[in-house]
Amino acid sequence: MPPSRQSKGKRRDPGIDIEALAQQKAKYFRIHAEETHFLASDPTARDKAIAKLYQNPEVKKGPFCANTLVGLDDDPDAFLRAVDEVFENPDRSIDQRVIRMHAAMSGLLVFNQHKIKKPLSNYKGLEWKVHARSHKIHNEWMNKNIPAPHTRLNAFALQGPVQKPLTPPPSRVAPTSTKPLTPNAVDGILSKAKRDDLLKMRFVLEGNIAEDRGVWEVESYCMKRSGDVVYNVLFEDVDEPIPHDEADMRLLLHDSLVAV
């Protein structure tokens, strides 16, 4: 049996609420977007408030990542509760808006690490579903609440409605022929020599129900200074690519077919 078809009954865990995780992650996105949008109206006051925030000795110094915010001896749940307390503060001064913006991004990093990535590491396909759903929720909210900047890039869209194409773009059309991926094939796809070829490939994620299936492709990848590679994966029903590390990619490829 092909690897991508194995253990179908184990793809879902009844104790994992994908929608709840996605809604919470989207909340961090939303609050950060709200405050970023508001603070952009007065960059001088914003930058002054940011400088003031980082003079606070309680603000942790170091790379802005989950491991800096929550150390090995720290409680991520306590950290996220503190973030929620910031959100509940009714104060909307410039200083407090900067704190809310900082808290939203901090909460997002910690939530991703301790509530999504670690708990879902053994559940193939579920992590990307949370990311995909949260991005969809956020994109829908953004389209309704945050006006797009009037730039040359979207000037044509402001002139009037654009007729939708009769067929999807070529990259979103479902492949007509696919084949399963063996473990050796996955190793080859993720090898350094094949990374550029990966950008030309298209895949179909399998699933027991229609919502689990879909076409996806790698839009781009980048290598960090540490040598780790991050792949930006674009799913057919998500507007923006979702970052995947190598472990995430292996899980995704494990459950996918490759277009031929």
Side-chain angles (χ1 to χ4, degrees):
M1 181 181 295
S4 57
R5 296 180 181 271
Q6 292 176 356
S7 304
K8 279 292 190 175
K10 297 181 181 180
R11 286 176 57 86
R12 290 179 173 272
D13 180 87
I16 296 174
D17 190 335
I18 292 176
E19 182 65 18
L21 290 172
Q23 290 286 350
Q24 182 63 24
K25 179 173 179 175
K27 176 182 176 180
Y28 297 122
F29 277 138
R30 173 178 57 79
I31 293 175
H32 186 268
E34 285 176 337
E35 301 307 342
T36 300
H37 180 70
F38 181 89
L39 291 166
S41 63
D42 191 344
T44 301
R46 176 199 62 199
D47 293 347
K48 182 178 179 180
I50 290 174
K52 179 180 178 181
L53 172 66
Y54 281 99
Q55 290 173 358
N56 187 332
E58 294 185 3
V59 176
K60 294 188 176 182
K61 305 300 188 293
F64 194 49
C65 63
N67 291 337
T68 297
L69 297 166
V70 176
L72 294 176
D73 297 327
D74 295 331
D75 180 2
D77 290 329
F79 183 92
L80 293 173
R81 285 195 297 270
V83 168
D84 285 338
E85 290 176 3
V86 171
F87 296 159
E88 292 167 3
N89 188 333
D91 181 5
R92 291 297 182 270
S93 63
I94 295 295
D95 285 349
Q96 189 61 30
R97 285 185 179 276
V98 164
I99 292 173
R100 281 171 59 84
M101 180 178 68
H102 177 81
M105 184 53 64
S106 300
L108 177 63
L109 292 172
V110 172
F111 189 81
N112 271 342
Q113 180 73 8
H114 293 279
K115 297 300 180 180
I116 299 177
K117 190 175 184 62
K118 287 185 176 180
L120 301 187
S121 61
N122 293 325
Y123 299 101
K124 299 175 176 60
L126 293 186
E127 182 180 347
W128 81 261
K129 289 179 184 296
V130 175
H131 293 318
R133 175 61 180 148
S134 66
H135 277 268
K136 186 173 183 179
I137 294 169
H138 179 61
N139 287 339
E140 290 174 352
W141 179 87
M142 287 285 289
N143 290 336
K144 293 178 181 178
N145 295 279
I146 303 294
H150 188 172
T151 66
R152 290 180 61 186
L153 292 177
N154 64 11
F156 292 107
L158 297 175
Q159 294 175 2
V162 178
Q163 185 176 2
K164 293 184 178 180
L166 297 178
T167 58
S171 62
R172 301 299 180 92
V173 177
T176 57
S177 180
T178 59
K179 68 177 182 180
L181 291 163
T182 65
N184 287 339
V186 172
D187 289 340
I189 287 172
L190 296 178
S191 67
K192 183 177 181 180
K194 296 289 186 179
R195 283 179 195 148
D196 288 342
D197 293 339
L198 178 58
L199 301 179
K200 305 171 187 176
M201 303 173 73
R202 295 170 61 225
F203 303 88
V204 178
L205 181 69
E206 291 196 295
N208 291 331
I209 58 176
E211 288 79 3
D212 284 350
R213 307 174 192 133
V215 180
W216 63 273
E217 58 191 17
V218 175
E219 183 183 64
S220 62
Y221 70 84
C222 64
M223 179 176 289
K224 297 182 178 180
R225 186 176 300 175
S226 63
D228 295 334
V229 179
V230 176
Y231 301 86
N232 296 311
V233 178
L234 186 63
F235 296 94
E236 64 178 342
D237 59 348
V238 182
D239 293 335
E240 299 178 0
I242 300 173
H244 285 58
D245 60 19
E246 183 172 330
D248 296 332
M249 283 297 295
R250 287 187 180 278
L251 291 176
L252 185 57
L253 288 166
H254 183 278
D255 285 351
S256 298
L257 303 175
V258 62
V260 295

